[in-house]
DNA sequence: TATTGTTATACTCTATAACTATA
DNA sequence: TATAGTTATAGAGTATAACAATA
């Protein structure tokens, strides 16, 4: 995407600007691990709820089933995720992280902490608490689900 | 894009989440005016500095020249922007908003104000000042140029 | 020879639709 | 007949490269 609009100087613009910056920097960091941001998200979702089906991921992501196929394929090829046919209902898969997948996710967590630290560098402890509190208040008022990044969809 | 990673609960995640939300809501609003966010950005840049060349836009946006061609084409077709051959150097165009382009930009400004108001609904006056101050501090420390949205590039 | 802009082409991301296997 | 997942195909968005006009 190119320059978005939004009123410069206002809170809406600052949020969009900083949000894009944060997303870009995080993507750069995970690229060093060979992962796109969407792949990191998928690894996290599978780790949180091992055995979940592709269909359930599609629903949570608000994405079509074929998209999940395309998302899981490279993760399986690179040996981070395993597809196991469900024995109860052999139509669907149970998705699991491999040992290597869990290792990589550990490194993602380190990267995320470094990312957080970098982004907050300019603020002291008190200001960070203040900022987090205000951001959480806005997110809640806007009806955003904690921990769920909406992505950028029209 | 689908779910990005980032540590849930942290400031980096909240910024990415709220930034995506702000960008999505703004895009919805400008879509009612028939404009994509990138087109709004272009209109703003041309209004700020009438007569500027496509090349200069490409540089400021960090985008190749052919992309600007594709961006300006529909705005010219819909009669919001005018390409005038420069008389000094007939290789380049001077871009201007038409009267209708300026009208539409006026409506964009109304939309931006409504957007700002909606996003800040959950905060009182003091909290808004506080939040804006903190966000500006982070933006400055991160080396972001005021008023320039980086977009989402790898 | 260098620069502004356009056109042709290709690559990525994503959705829709048709399909297979299972229920 | 309905559901989980895959494959084939098409459309958007963006970049690269070759090109035309002008300097």
């Amino acid at each position: 995407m190119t320059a978005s609009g939004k009123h410069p100087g206002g809170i809406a613009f600052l949020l969009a600007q900083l949000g894009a910056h944060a997303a870009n920097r995080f993507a750069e960091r995970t690229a060093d691990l060979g992962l796109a941001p969407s792949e990191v998200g998928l690894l996290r979702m599978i780790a949180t709820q091992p055995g979940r089906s592709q269909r359930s991921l599609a629903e949570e992501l608000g994405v079509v089933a074929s998209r999940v196929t395309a998302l899981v394929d490279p993760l399986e090829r690179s040996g981070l995720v395993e597809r196991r046919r469900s024995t109860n209902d052999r139509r669907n898969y149970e998705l699991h992280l491999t040992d290597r997948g869990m290792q990589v996710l550990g490194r993602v967590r380190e990267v995320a902490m470094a990312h957080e630290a970098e982004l907050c560098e300019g603020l002291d402890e008190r200001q960070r608490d203040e900022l987090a509190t205000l951001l959480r208040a806005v997110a809640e008022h806007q009806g955003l689900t904690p921990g769920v990044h909406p992505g950028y969809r029209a």
Side-chain angles (χ1 to χ4, degrees), chain A:
Chain A
M1 196 162 300
T2 56
S4 153
K6 262 164 266 5
H7 199 66
I11 286 173
F13 179 82
L14 284 163
L15 286 174
Q17 185 190 32
L18 278 166
H21 172 73
N24 285 340
R25 282 292 296 129
F26 187 73
E28 280 176 37
R29 284 174 179 278
T30 59
D32 295 342
L33 304 175
L35 294 174
S38 55
E39 294 180 314
V40 171
L42 223 61
L43 290 182
R44 279 225 171 89
M45 286 190 265
I46 296 169
T48 303
Q49 212 174 310
R52 58 187 303 181
S53 68
Q54 296 189 185
R55 170 56 93 191
S56 86
L57 291 177
E59 268 157 34
E60 181 167 330
L61 291 169
V63 124
V64 294
S66 61
R67 181 79 198 104
V68 176
T69 301
L71 237 27
V72 173
D73 277 351
L75 291 176
E76 186 180 42
R77 266 197 301 275
S78 54
L80 305 183
V81 166
E82 203 186 331
R83 281 174 164 119
R84 302 188 199 148
R85 272 295 168 197
S86 167
T87 45
N88 301 336
D89 182 342
R90 290 191 5 222
R91 286 174 303 184
N92 61 22
Y93 286 121
E94 292 168 358
L95 299 177
H96 295 268
L97 294 194
T98 62
D99 288 348
R100 219 174 125 248
M102 288 191 260
Q103 269 186 344
V104 168
L105 191 52
R107 284 204 270 159
V108 166
R109 292 202 182 97
E110 291 168 22
V111 156
M113 291 205 295
H115 174 64
E116 175 84 7
E118 177 189 271
L119 218 66
C120 296
E121 254 174 20
L123 305 177
D124 63 33
E125 197 58 39
R126 231 189 125 295
Q127 290 174 312
R128 294 180 196 198
D129 289 348
E130 189 76 28
L131 178 55
T133 302
L134 290 167
L135 291 177
R136 261 183 234 115
V138 174
E140 193 192 354
H141 195 95
Q142 295 294 308
L144 298 181
T145 309
V148 177
H149 182 138
Y152 303 89
R153 318 202 190 85

